[in-house]
Amino acid sequence: MTLDPASLDRRIGERIRLRRTELGLTQEQLASALGISYQQVQKYENGVNRISASRLAEIAQRLEVPIGWFVEEPEEGEPGDPAKPLARARGVLELARGFGALRTQGVRSALVALVRTLAERRL
């Protein structure tokens, strides 16, 4: 794999966002754990700002992945594997959180039926 520096910065940023989302962390939570602003996390994730090796090591530790994970192709079953549901659809986590907040059983049941129907129709 050979990437130009800008492409590598974007790839690392995408992997940070992917893993942060898989863990259910907000940009604010990751930023707080690293002692930086959430705007800085945004810049890292968008590939706007380069990340020093020491900062990348901190991020890797907080996101519970080895440093090399940010640049390697994901293997099946590991964090960030595109075959994993959360990697394919970032909205899954948001949907699950929203579903858990619904208070009426009838509404939850109707939502499950709707999703099941949509899935069966492959929409």
Side-chain angles (χ1 to χ4, degrees), residues 105-116:
Q105 179 61 37
V107 172
R108 286 193 301 268
S109 297
L111 184 57
V112 168
L114 172 64
V115 171
R116 186 174 293 126

Side-chain angles (χ1 to χ4, degrees), residues 95 99 109-122:
L95 183 61
F99 185 85
S109 297
L111 184 57
V112 168
L114 172 64
V115 171
R116 186 174 293 126
T117 300
L118 293 173
E120 288 170 358
R121 293 181 184 183
R122 301 193 182 258

Side-chain angles (χ1 to χ4, degrees), residues 32-100:
S32 178
L34 298 171
I36 59 177
S37 69
Y38 78 91
Q39 292 96 335
Q40 185 63 45
V41 171
Q42 284 178 333
K43 290 177 182 180
Y44 288 157
E45 289 184 354
N46 291 325
V48 174
N49 284 8
R50 290 201 173 147
I51 305 170
S52 69
S54 58
R55 177 68 73 197
L56 189 58
E58 286 181 83
I59 293 170
Q61 182 178 24
R62 178 60 184 95
L63 297 180
E64 302 170 359
V65 292
I67 294 173
W69 179 85
F70 294 105
V71 295
E72 297 170 350
E73 290 292 327
E75 294 183 22
E76 187 174 334
E78 76 171 345
D81 173 10
K84 292 178 69 176
L86 289 178
R88 282 186 282 139
R90 291 180 56 198
V92 172
L93 184 59
E94 292 177 34
L95 183 61
R97 287 182 180 148
F99 185 85

Side-chain angles (χ1 to χ4, degrees), residues 2 9 14 16 25 27 29 40 56 58 111:
T2 304
D9 292 339
E14 289 168 359
I16 291 171
L25 296 172
Q27 288 179 335
Q29 290 169 323
Q40 185 63 45
L56 189 58
E58 286 181 83
L111 184 57

